Amino acid sequence: MNRIPQHIAIIMDGNGRWAMDRGLDRTFGHKAGLDNLEKITTYCSNLGVKYLTVYAFSIENFNRPAYEVEALMGLVLSFFKMDLFHNNNVSFHVAGDVDRLPQSVQDKLHSMEEETAKHDGMAITIAMSYSAKQEIVNAAKRIARKVQSGEMSIDEIGEDTINENLWTSWMPDPDLLIRTGGEVRISNFLLWQCAYSEFYFCDAYWPDFSEEEFYKAIASYQNRQRRYGKTEAQIEAEEANN
């Protein structure tokens, strides 16, 4: 229990394929996926995870069939139950180009942020209308404007400057990135933030990502040594001193 990742990021992949394997429309998979997100949120909160960030809808997802995009937006409006956040003392946040979303969805997301703002337990962030490349481009533009206006000089720009201008500026980088659905890539998700994250890929589709599968991911993380460029001997000496 002393090696629980403080920040877990999840690419919730495989919803559509889960539904198609059952002869259902893809939208049923997205509904099942959101139902599973409720369970995983509770597992994370109970385990002592401080931050959970999930990839719900990318900017590229706007290229999907219009009916599927519309259904996903409808699920956002109808799914999130405030009891989940109130009962677990969880605060809700959103990261992404929210202005691209329908106004009704924007209003819903912002109202959830406001209603859970005082919760001081785990923080869950939904990446909606999200693109890591776009996030970095936006950060570069904000920094360039500050240089242009004289607020800062080019020589003052460092890693912290980038961090402070990202959509995720208020949270630490993920310790563990989980992707379900059998794909082995991170698909334009948290590219800057995952520089030193541990990755865990599994074949289970997201609706089938059970409590057991979740704990397998945690156990895999706990059996790794995070060195950040140091040697194994250095890390072991530091751990012994602590």
Side-chain angles (χ1 to χ4, degrees):
M1 289 299 293
N2 62 351
R3 292 201 64 202
I4 301 299
Q6 292 301 286
H7 185 179
I8 297 177
I10 304 178
I11 301 176
M12 306 179 294
D13 195 21
N15 293 327
R17 285 173 286 159
W18 179 89
M20 292 173 67
D21 284 352
R22 289 159 176 75
L24 301 170
D25 186 86
R26 290 173 56 87
T27 56
F28 285 91
H30 297 307
K31 174 61 169 65
L34 285 173
D35 288 341
N36 197 45
L37 176 56
E38 264 197 81
K39 299 174 185 176
I40 298 299
T41 297
T42 301
Y43 300 153
C44 286
S45 178
N46 291 342
L47 201 60
V49 174
K50 299 300 183 185
Y51 303 89
L52 173 63
T53 303
V54 297
Y55 205 4
F57 191 85
S58 70
I59 288 177
E60 292 81 7
N61 286 154
F62 281 113
N63 296 321
R64 291 189 175 187
Y67 84 93
E68 185 173 343
V69 174
E70 185 177 349
L72 280 165
M73 295 299 116
L75 284 172
V76 171
L77 289 174
S78 64
F79 167 74
F80 292 110
K81 306 174 183 69
M82 295 313 301
D83 285 350
L84 171 68
F85 303 98
H86 294 324
N87 293 343
N88 293 285
N89 193 29
V90 171
S91 60
F92 178 88
H93 309 266
V94 61
D97 190 355
V98 180
D99 290 343
R100 292 192 183 205
L101 297 168
Q103 189 60 53
S104 57
V105 175
Q106 293 183 45
D107 293 343
K108 173 71 172 180
L109 296 174
H110 292 318
S111 69
M112 291 175 63
E113 286 182 312
E114 292 172 3
E115 191 170 342
T116 63
K118 293 183 179 179
H119 293 177
D120 58 3
M122 188 179 76
I124 180 171
T125 300
I126 306 296
M128 286 285 294
S129 185
Y130 179 87
S131 158
K133 287 186 175 181
Q134 188 62 52
E135 178 180 31
I136 295 169
V137 168
N138 290 351
K141 288 180 178 179
R142 283 193 286 271
I143 295 167
R145 292 189 188 101
K146 292 176 183 178
V147 172
Q148 191 176 44
S149 68
E151 293 179 57
M152 66 185 306
S153 69
I154 291 176
D155 291 337
E156 291 178 298
I157 299 173
E159 288 186 17
D160 288 343
T161 317
I162 305 294
N163 288 330
E164 290 163 4
N165 286 277
L166 296 174
W167 287 320
T168 59
S169 60
W170 59 277
M171 68 173 82
D173 292 341
D175 299 302
L176 172 64
L177 171 69
I178 299 171
R179 179 167 188 158
T180 62
E183 304 291 355
V184 186
R185 56 178 178 268
I186 60 174
S187 298
N188 200 12
F189 183 49
L190 302 178
L191 297 178
W192 175 274
Q193 298 90 332
C194 283
Y196 277 102
S197 301
E198 297 296 326
F199 290 0
Y200 181 85
F201 300 98
C202 71
D203 291 331
Y205 293 145
W206 174 247
D208 291 330
F209 188 72
S210 62
E211 183 176 15
E212 181 181 359
E213 290 286 348
F214 172 67
Y215 289 133
K216 285 181 182 178
I218 299 298
S220 175
Y221 169 85
Q222 292 177 329
N223 282 303
R224 304 180 194 184
Q225 186 182 67
R226 306 184 74 196
R227 293 192 289 273
Y228 299 100
K230 298 180 181 180
T231 66
E232 184 176 347
Q234 285 177 298
I235 299 299
E236 290 176 351
E238 289 175 1
E239 291 176 348
N241 290 332
N242 293 330

